[in-house]
Amino acid sequence: MVEPRFFETIAPIYDFLTKLFMGGTYESMRKRMLNEDTSQMEILDLCCGTGYICNTIEAKRIVGLDQSDAMLARNAKVKRDNKTLIKGNAYQMPFKEEEFDRIYNSSASHEFKLFSRLLKKSYEILKPGGKIVIFDIYQPKNPVLSLFMNTFVRYAVERGIMFVHTKEEWRQMLQEAGFVVEELDVIRGLYIFARASKPLNTAVNQPNS
């Protein structure tokens, strides 16, 4: 996992860098991630950063979790009565079982060596019928894009700390956590979009121990 001090340094320009990082998908992917009525839902913005999701989404309750003080400080500049920001390690989410209707994770999964652990915890804290929505870079099969991802992106952008997965590996991780995959699409050859749900009857689809 990337050390918090890195984000303390880049927080002032993080939004600008994210727009570059998302390759022209900044607004379109947010619109796709938030393409439903969540106004009466309880939402977790996991690795919320400066508020890409939690400062835009309409919800009954919004919780943003991040490990960086500087990122949370910038997020907090947008005042919302229904928003709570929590400093914490995503591997150790301080939430109870079946607490949220939706969990969003944007441009952050590649920072975690064991993102599968976050998926399993997300499954636990989602209500039955709840969903997780994810957008990030992934591991392309195309040899040219794979070379670009594992050279320029890995070392020039991510400073050598990057954990990316193929589309098939994403499907496997989501399913092993207990989710039913609803959408799993490659975007512009370099990004992955996933939407997966926790079954209403969780007894028939328990995640592997």
Side-chain angles (χ1 to χ4, degrees):
M1 186 171 66
V2 177
E3 290 295 323
R5 63 177 177 269
F6 172 69
F7 293 101
E8 304 299 302
T9 302
I10 69 168
I13 58 170
Y14 180 80
D15 291 339
F16 170 74
L17 293 176
T18 299
K19 288 180 181 180
L20 292 178
F21 177 86
M22 292 178 68
T25 67
Y26 189 84
E27 293 298 343
S28 63
M29 287 314 307
R30 179 160 57 187
K31 184 176 180 180
R32 182 172 179 178
M33 293 178 81
L34 307 182
N35 69 344
E36 59 178 333
D37 182 5
T38 55
S39 59
Q40 298 305 308
M41 296 184 184
E42 298 194 67
I43 302 298
L44 172 63
D45 187 358
L46 180 59
C47 307
C48 63
T50 58
Y52 176 71
I53 294 296
C54 67
N55 287 338
T56 303
I57 194 169
E58 296 299 326
K60 178 181 178 181
R61 173 180 171 235
I62 304 166
V63 178
L65 177 72
D66 203 277
Q67 65 174 346
S68 165
D69 287 317
M71 300 286 273
L72 290 171
R74 294 188 69 83
N75 191 326
K77 290 181 179 181
V78 177
K79 306 297 183 183
R80 307 187 78 183
D81 292 338
N82 58 346
K83 182 178 76 170
T84 302
L85 298 178
I86 299 174
K87 181 182 178 181
N89 187 317
Y91 281 129
Q92 300 168 343
M93 294 184 233
F95 307 115
K96 63 179 184 291
E97 292 185 5
E98 300 184 2
E99 184 169 350
F100 296 102
D101 298 287
R102 295 289 185 273
I103 297 175
Y104 297 88
N105 181 261
S106 177
S107 302
S109 68
H110 66 277
E111 297 166 4
F112 295 88
K113 184 176 182 179
L114 302 174
F115 194 74
S116 58
R117 284 175 53 185
L118 274 66
L119 289 175
K120 291 177 181 178
K121 181 62 176 179
S122 295
Y123 183 94
E124 292 175 4
I125 64 177
L126 274 172
K127 300 173 185 177
K131 298 181 182 182
I132 187 168
V133 184
I134 299 167
F135 172 79
D136 203 3
I137 53 176
Y138 92 123
Q139 178 58 56
K141 282 190 172 181
N142 179 288
V144 175
L145 294 179
S146 179
L147 179 64
F148 174 76
M149 181 65 67
N150 290 288
T151 53
F152 178 77
V153 176
R154 180 178 296 277
Y155 296 106
V157 179
E158 297 298 329
R159 304 167 302 113
I161 305 173
M162 186 181 82
F163 308 97
V164 291
H165 312 280
T166 65
K167 182 177 181 180
E168 292 75 15
E169 288 169 342
W170 267 109
R171 185 179 300 278
Q172 182 178 353
M173 285 194 302
L174 287 162
Q175 291 176 338
E176 286 182 351
F179 288 103
V180 175
V181 178
E182 296 184 353
E183 298 178 69
L184 189 61
D185 298 330
V186 173
I187 309 296
R188 298 191 178 183
L190 292 171
Y191 309 96
I192 195 82
F193 174 84
R195 191 189 310 271
S197 60
K198 179 176 181 175
L200 286 169
N201 182 2
T202 57
V204 300
N205 198 40
Q206 288 293 328
N208 295 331
S209 58

